């Protein structure tokens, strides 16, 4: 008698779930079908694989010897299915990234997508989060990583986690202990223009003390802002991961602050009601890559960040 994959599958799930009835439910089959497959597998091998006891079905010695090989077969099948699923994700997808996020994460995210979904063809758009929200609504992009999105009923937003954020200033500035709004209100501040997430973060921090900054110079590029800070032209807030690069060069300093600057909140946004396998693929890989990078785990309150030379 020939051994079939259906028989092996019935044996595997019966053992995993503890009963033929549960295996049948899991495989969407009638219990007699599972029992028949188990019987046929035993006859094909010429041994008893399972026996009844007061605790239900248990493996015989022969069943225990067979189980590791069955697990290996099932693992290989699962691997093939996952690979086939990845290959089924084919074609172009327009992916937007908030610029501060893109500076730190675009390269590993692209590498992750190439590894997970080799037939996917991402087209990258890097801009401020508010610009990306508008592009989603206008169907100019398919999915985007957004920072502190304004939100819209036509958008579906899935939280990714916090993007650690820090005040930064030129290394030449003599800033002592934790800065407060009164320490920075009369100094030049560099920020993305309103209503960007960065601008809202900056103005909210000052508003907590009932203060408005005297001068905010706007710059549309997050990536250019640390260059301006490093040149001594003003202070600003940046994703902590971006700031650390310049701290290592000795051109800017991260400022401990009171109150703490609020971390940004990252979301994966797409148009509401759109079920696209490619969007779900981007979501899965983004979550995996961020976890691998530990990007969301940089502690904004860590003493080593408040004193990078410690």
């Amino acid at each position: 008698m020939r051994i079939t994959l259906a028989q092996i599958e019935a044996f595997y799930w019966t053992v995993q779930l503890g009963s033929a009835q549960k295996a049948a439910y899991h495989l969407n089959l009638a219990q007699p079908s599972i029992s028949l497959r188990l019987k046929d597998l035993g006859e094909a091998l010429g041994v008893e694989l399972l026996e009844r006891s007061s605790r239900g079905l248990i493996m015989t010695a022969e069943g225990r010897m067979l189980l590791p090989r069955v697990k290996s077969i099932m693992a290989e099948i699962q691997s093939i299915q996952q690979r086939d699923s990845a290959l089924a994700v084919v074609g172009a997808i327009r992916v937007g990234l908030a610029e501060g996020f893109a500076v730190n994460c675009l390269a590993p995210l692209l590498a992750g997508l190439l590894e997970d979904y080799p037939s996917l063809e991402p087209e990258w758009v890097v801009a401020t989060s508010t610009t990306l929200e508008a592009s989603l609504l206008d169907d100019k992009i398919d999915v985007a990583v957004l920072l502190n999105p304004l939100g819209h009923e036509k958008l579906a937003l899935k939280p990714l986690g916090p993007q650690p954020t820090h005040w930064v200033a030129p290394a030449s500035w003599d800033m002592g202990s934790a800065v407060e709004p009164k320490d920075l209100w009369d100094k030049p501040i560099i920020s993305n223009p309103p209503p960007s997430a960065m601008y809202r973060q900056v103005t909210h921090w000052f508003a907590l003390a009932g203060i408005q900054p005297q001068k905010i110079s706007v710059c549309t590029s997050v990536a250019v802002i640390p260059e301006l800070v490093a040149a001594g032209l003003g202070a600003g807030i940046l994703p902590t991961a971006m700031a650390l690069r310049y701290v290592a060069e000795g051109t800017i300093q991260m400022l401990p602050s009171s109150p703490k600057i609020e971390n940004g909140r990252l979301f994966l946004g797409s148009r509401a009601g759109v079920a696209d396998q490619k969007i779900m693929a981007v979501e899965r890989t983004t979550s995996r890559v961020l976890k691998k990078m530990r990007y969301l785990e940089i502690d904004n309150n860590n003493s080593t960040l408040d004193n990078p030379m410690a």
Side-chain angles (χ1 to χ4, degrees):
M1 182 179 292
R2 184 171 61 92
I3 297 174
T4 68
L5 181 57
Q7 295 164 2
I8 291 173
E9 188 177 47
F11 176 73
Y12 175 81
W13 286 112
T14 298
V15 171
Q16 292 296 108
L17 301 177
S19 75
Q21 183 176 3
K22 290 179 180 179
Y25 181 80
H26 177 80
L27 296 171
N28 197 27
L29 295 169
Q31 182 176 339
S33 296
I34 295 294
S35 299
L36 179 60
R37 292 178 183 183
L38 293 172
K39 176 176 176 292
D40 289 345
L41 179 60
E43 290 179 355
L45 296 172
V47 295
E48 291 289 333
L49 300 172
L50 299 165
E51 59 186 9
R52 295 195 177 277
S53 72
S54 58
R55 295 176 295 164
L57 286 176
I58 61 172
M59 283 187 291
T60 63
E62 291 81 3
R64 289 192 295 272
M65 291 176 62
L66 178 65
L67 183 60
R69 301 176 71 177
V70 167
K71 285 183 175 180
S72 177
I73 292 170
M74 294 300 295
E76 185 63 26
I77 291 170
Q78 185 179 27
S79 175
I80 292 170
Q81 289 174 334
Q82 289 175 343
R83 181 63 178 172
D84 286 347
S85 176
L87 292 174
V89 180
V90 177
I93 182 169
R94 301 164 298 176
V95 184
L97 299 180
E99 188 179 6
F101 177 86
V103 169
N104 299 301
C105 301
L106 176 52
L109 182 54
L110 175 56
L113 285 173
L114 289 172
E115 178 183 352
D116 295 345
Y117 302 99
S119 298
L120 193 64
E121 301 169 9
E123 301 172 1
W124 303 100
V125 177
V126 178
T128 63
S129 188
T130 48
T131 299
L132 295 174
E133 281 189 81
S135 295
L136 282 170
L137 292 170
D138 292 340
D139 196 24
K140 294 179 180 178
I141 56 176
D142 302 303
V143 62
V145 176
L146 304 171
L147 176 68
N148 293 352
L150 296 170
H152 192 282
E153 62 181 5
K154 293 184 178 180
L155 293 182
L157 299 173
K158 295 185 178 181
L160 293 171
Q163 175 170 266
T165 307
H166 228 83
W167 270 109
V168 297
S172 59
W173 285 16
D174 183 18
M175 308 300 294
S177 58
V179 295
E180 300 178 20
K182 63 182 178 63
D183 301 317
L184 291 178
W185 76 276
D186 60 344
K187 290 184 168 50
I189 306 297
I190 306 170
S191 170
N192 286 157
S196 67
M198 180 186 289
Y199 188 90
R200 284 179 276 134
Q201 284 177 293
V202 168
T203 54
H204 175 71
W205 185 76
F206 282 102
L208 290 174
I211 295 175
Q212 289 185 345
Q214 192 173 46
K215 182 179 181 181
I216 297 182
S217 298
V218 298
C219 175
T220 58
S221 171
V222 178
V224 171
I225 289 176
E227 298 292 334
L228 299 177
V229 175
L233 299 176
I237 65 169
L238 291 174
T240 304
M242 180 190 294
L244 285 170
R245 301 181 185 182
Y246 290 83
V247 171
E249 295 173 358
T251 55
I252 68 175
Q253 57 181 312
M254 287 196 291
L255 303 177
S257 59
S258 179
K260 295 286 184 181
I261 191 72
E262 287 188 2
N263 287 334
R265 305 296 302 182
L266 293 171
F267 292 80
L268 196 80
S270 58
R271 291 183 301 282
V274 176
D276 188 321
Q277 195 174 30
K278 291 181 288 188
I279 292 176
M280 290 186 284
V282 170
E283 179 185 352
R284 286 191 292 268
T285 296
T286 300
S287 297
R288 180 181 71 79
V289 168
L290 291 180
K291 184 177 181 180
K292 182 179 179 180
M293 292 176 64
R294 301 185 66 184
Y295 182 74
L296 307 177
E297 300 174 27
I298 301 173
D299 186 357
N300 195 43
N301 298 315
N302 190 298
S303 60
T304 60
L305 297 185
D306 289 340
N307 182 9
M309 301 305 293

